[in-house]
């Protein structure tokens, strides 16, 4: 952080008090039994309507309905998404919105990432708050501000409030498939590199770190990540720490009204693969699994950048090779054959592309602050091999091939992911300092983290010199 304040741990109750939208969190064994009481506390006598899919209806929805029935609380007919291929796409939001407009009931989202994001945005569009019943420790979106939804082929974060209340029944969550829990661990691990990206953006005066949000997400992060083997064994204590860590990530996003506290370059890789409709063995890998591989990739890039003497940068030589905006647009159109992705990439990249004079100013500033920033980044980061070991211990994929991403495609993704978000990350730092291609040669070289069988060049070799 720019003023070098220490990171302080924040308890879940303290984080809840700092939340801007969520007013109640119930975490513990048998927490579903409190569903009707929590609902009435927050929404009074208004009718409720459960939103679920067949799986979440079976594991928790029926129990929630029974609790409401015993309490004598009015429940509208359950809104059930029967599709096997249900995902967070805008068409499903519109379908849910239409169903909600048939009455004025408060939605009760029973599920994990997809159900929660669909309900979050649909409820916002009909002007209602909602209650969330979490069914797995699979991602940090339960308490997050904003919903991640695919719209016109592009994964986008729509501004909408978090749930007013969240119930996390640890009996249900601990019984979730191990792959979902491992996915949640990977999503939590991503806060390591997301935090590093925020530190860089803060040091360069682009996106200042907000101390409250930083402490909420980073304060207890290492403790929540400390025992991946117990997460893999579905140990109740480890699963609870993981669940609370994920909830804290959401609270940090609520405080900041942005995903910046919990999302950096690693999420840009994941969003890119979402936009490209990536599947492996016929299904889309989970958000956490994609983010986990991308977290290793981001950290490998940091490992390289931290070894470079950026305090000796030559801004003048970098600016001579820096592309003008028309060159950037042309490069993006060559890179993406899908016109929707290309247009989104142009929009996002235009937001952050610098003139040569602005780049010079930034590099001069970076050169002066690099020794201090490098020390802070080393304190924040783990090295890529350590991250890989943690993911493996938690039961999450730790090699790109495990989620169907070849090394050639992963290498290309470093360039492509930089285009699709205006947010400043290590991808931009590496590119602006002229080190992105050198880093990729190391990462994918014979002695690198992911050695390729043969040299792999980016199709357009989009270095600043050849843009």
């Amino acid at each position: 952080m720019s003023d070098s304040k220490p990171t302080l741990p924040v308890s879940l109750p303290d984080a809840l008090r700092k939340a801007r939208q969520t007013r109640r969190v119930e975490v513990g064994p048998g927490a579903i039994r409190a569903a009707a009481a929590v609902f009435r506390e927050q929404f009074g006598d208004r009718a409720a309507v459960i939103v679920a899919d067949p799986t979440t209806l079976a594991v928790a929805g029926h129990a929630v309905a029974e609790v409401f029935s015993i309490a004598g609380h009015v429940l509208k007919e359950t809104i059930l998404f029967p599709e096997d291929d249900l995902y967070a796409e805008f068409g499903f939001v519109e379908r849910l919105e239409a169903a909600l407009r048939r009455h004025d009931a408060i939605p009760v989202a029973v599920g994990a990432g997809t159900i929660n994001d669909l309900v979050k945005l649909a409820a916002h569009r009909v002007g209602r708050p909602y209650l969330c019943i979490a069914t797995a420790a699979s991602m940090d979106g339960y308490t997050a501000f904003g919903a991640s939804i695919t719209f016109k082929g592009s994964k986008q974060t729509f501004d909408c409030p978090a749930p007013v209340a969240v119930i996390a029944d640890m009996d249900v969550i601990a019984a979730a498939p191990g792959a979902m829990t491992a996915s949640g661990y990977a999503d939590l691990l991503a806060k390591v590199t997301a935090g590093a990206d925020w530190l860089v953006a803060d040091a360069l005066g682009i996106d200042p770190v907000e101390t409250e949000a930083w402490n909420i997400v980073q304060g207890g992060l290492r403790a929540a990540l400390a025992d991946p083997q117990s997460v893999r064994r579905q140990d109740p204590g480890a699963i609870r720490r993981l669940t609370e860590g994920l909830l804290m990530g959401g609270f940090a996003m609520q405080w900041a009204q942005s995903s910046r506290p919990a999302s950096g370059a690693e999420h840009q890789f994941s969003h890119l693969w979402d936009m490209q409709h990536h599947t492996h063995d016929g299904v889309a890998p989970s958000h956490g699994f994609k983010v986990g591989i991308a977290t290793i990739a981001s950290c490998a890039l940091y490992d390289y950048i931290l070894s470079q003497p950026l305090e000796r940068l030559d801004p003048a030589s970098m600016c001579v090779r820096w592309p003008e905006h028309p060159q950037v647009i042309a490069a993006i159109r060559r890179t993406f054959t899908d016109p929707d992705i290309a247009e989104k990439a142009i929009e996002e990249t235009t937001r952050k592309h610098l003139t040569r004079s602005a780049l010079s100013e930034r590099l001069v500033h970076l050169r002066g602050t690099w020794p201090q920033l490098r020390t802070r980044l080393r304190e924040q980061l783990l090295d890529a091999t350590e991250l890989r070991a943690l993911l493996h211990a938690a039961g999450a994929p730790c090699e790109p091939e495990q989620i169907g991403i070849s090394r050639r495609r992963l290498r290309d993704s470093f360039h492509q992911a930089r285009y699709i978000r205006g947010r400043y990350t290590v991808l931009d730092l590496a590119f602006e300092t002229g080190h992105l291609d050198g880093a990729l040669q190391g990462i994918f070289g014979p002695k690198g983290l992911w050695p390729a069988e043969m040299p792999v060049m980016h199709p357009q070799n989009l270095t600043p010199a050849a843009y």
Side-chain angles (χ1 to χ4, degrees), residues 32 35-36 39 48-68 75-76 78-81 86 96 106-120 130-136 138-139 142 163 165-169 172-173 180:
I32 279 178
F39 185 96
V49 58
I50 291 172
V51 183
D53 63 30
T55 299
T56 62
L57 186 66
V59 301
H62 290 312
V64 172
E66 183 179 4
V67 169
F68 274 80
L75 264 181
K76 298 290 187 180
T78 295
I79 300 174
L80 188 66
F81 282 107
L86 178 68
L96 178 55
I106 298 295
V108 178
V110 180
T114 297
I115 289 291
N116 188 57
D117 274 346
L118 293 175
V119 174
K120 187 183 298 186
Y130 79 104
L131 168 70
C132 174
I133 309 289
T135 56
S138 57
M139 49 87 225
Y142 291 119
V166 177
I167 294 174
D169 188 319
V172 173
I173 289 175
M180 297 190 76

